[in-house]
Amino acid sequence: MNYVEIVIEVARDHAEALSDALMEAGALSVSVEDADEGTDAEKPLFGEPGMEPEEAAWDHSRVVALTGEDADQAAIVAEAAAAISLAEVPKFTLRGVEEQDWVRLTQSQFEPIHIGKNIWVVPSWHEAPDADALILELDPGLAFGTGSHPTTRLCMEWLEAHPAPGKTVLDYGCGSGILAMVARKLGAGTVAGVDIDPQAIESARDNAQRNQVGEIAYFLPDAFAASAHATARFDTVVANILSSPLKLMAPMLSGRVADGGSLILSGVLARQAEEVAAAYAPFIKLGVWAELDGWVALHGVLGSDTVPPAR
């Protein structure tokens, strides 16, 4: 089956309502884009977790609705316009979308990722390039963390460079569970992961089972606070989140580090490193361990007056 996209350029005030109305009128899916993309007027639209933009729209928005080839696109647009009481039916263009093997197309965009010296993150439809490496089978999904983002990569490289056989590790903001799994495969003993997203916890548990890494305890925050780990302090605490929540959690995360233990933070842009380190200064002295593509990983040792050397 082939498909047809309806492309409508609208003002911000109508983008979200029109998108919903197009779905109700029979569109198979709808997306909103910046109509000024690629020009000097292009505007980024992003936010940190808990501070997402109220609207996924731009001052000059482009609404793209996917329909079946046999659908009456004009009728769909007219019905949607009437549903939100537009004064007139907006102008639109149509563009064809040929049928493709979407699964294969999506899979082709994800190749094995080589990280550090000896780590490979391999989608399930690929063979591992090096059977003797530390291999994580991980498919792209809803939970953050496939090794492709610089912050995840930096944390994985830190863990590889600082193996701690038998030590305890806390992965706070665990997402897919990739950092906890790396720690476990590198010989860590007790490993726990915490995330605010139930989907992430489910994904992390599935990934740990698939990779046969042994026991990793994954928790939502309330469950973690009520668990046997409620007052535990860990030899290594790693948190790959974003700068704003990291600053707010400085007392809590620092308090989870055992005496002489290490704290590793990422999700921090290079320009944010000093302010994040300053938030932790009353508890632990942090410095930049490494930088990649404008992102940094900060690390420090609890009780030490000096910052460990950078990579």
Side-chain angles (χ1 to χ4, degrees):
M1 176 181 178
N2 291 335
Y3 300 89
V4 173
E5 287 182 330
I6 305 169
V7 183
I8 310 170
E9 295 193 3
V10 296
R12 173 194 286 269
D13 293 346
H14 299 307
E16 189 170 344
L18 182 61
S19 297
D20 293 341
L22 286 165
M23 288 294 294
E24 291 293 328
L28 301 175
S29 67
V30 181
S31 62
V32 182
E33 307 169 353
D34 185 356
D36 295 319
E37 182 181 1
T39 72
D40 292 340
E42 179 180 358
K43 295 181 179 179
L45 184 68
F46 57 88
E48 294 185 352
M51 297 183 292
E52 292 85 355
E54 293 183 3
E55 294 179 288
W58 290 261
D59 293 338
H60 186 198
S61 293
R62 180 185 299 117
V63 177
V64 181
L66 182 70
T67 68
E69 185 179 36
D70 297 331
D72 187 339
Q73 287 81 23
I76 289 174
V77 175
E79 181 180 335
I84 62 173
S85 302
L86 289 182
E88 58 184 21
V89 177
K91 295 179 180 179
F92 62 91
T93 59
L94 302 178
R95 60 191 186 198
V97 181
E98 292 185 2
E99 173 70 350
Q100 301 188 53
D101 186 336
W102 297 107
V103 172
R104 286 186 178 275
L105 182 62
T106 300
Q107 289 181 348
S108 70
Q109 299 173 11
F110 297 95
E111 297 289 330
I113 302 170
H114 188 209
I115 295 172
K117 294 180 179 180
N118 197 41
I119 300 174
W120 281 94
V121 181
V122 184
S124 59
W125 53 86
H126 278 283
E127 291 292 329
D130 180 359
D132 296 325
L134 190 161
I135 298 168
L136 293 169
E137 182 182 306
L138 202 66
D139 292 340
L142 297 178
F144 179 81
T146 61
S148 60
H149 195 276
T151 61
T152 310
R153 181 183 293 265
L154 285 168
C155 291
M156 293 171 71
E157 291 177 352
W158 190 97
L159 290 169
E160 183 184 37
H162 301 81
K167 300 293 187 178
T168 58
V169 177
L170 172 63
D171 177 8
Y172 206 95
C174 62
S176 69
I178 190 170
L179 300 181
M181 290 191 295
V182 168
R184 199 78 171 88
K185 281 189 172 255
L186 288 168
T190 298
V191 179
V194 180
D195 203 284
I196 62 173
D197 183 1
Q199 176 66 49
I201 296 300
E202 182 179 347
S203 175
R205 287 171 177 162
D206 290 344
N207 288 331
Q209 184 174 10
R210 179 195 301 183
N211 283 274
Q212 300 179 339
V213 296
E215 185 177 355
I216 300 177
Y218 289 109
F219 302 93
L220 292 169
D222 288 347
F224 182 62
S227 73
H229 302 287
T231 59
R233 298 167 68 199
F234 295 80
D235 299 309
T236 300
V237 175
V238 57
N240 180 25
I241 311 178
L242 282 171
S243 62
S244 293
L246 283 175
K247 287 187 289 185
L248 291 172
M249 291 190 290
M252 183 274 291
L253 287 176
S254 300
R256 285 293 184 175
V257 184
D259 292 338
S262 296
L263 175 64
I264 306 91
L265 307 178
S266 198
V268 179
L269 292 166
R271 59 179 172 79
Q272 300 168 331
E274 288 188 7
E275 62 187 65
V276 173
Y280 284 79
F283 316 103
I284 184 172
K285 191 174 182 64
L286 297 178
V288 173
W289 177 68
E291 179 176 346
L292 180 62
D293 296 341
W295 298 88
V296 298
L298 299 170
H299 71 155
V301 174
L302 189 68
S304 174
D305 293 331
T306 60
V307 175
R311 180 169 62 182

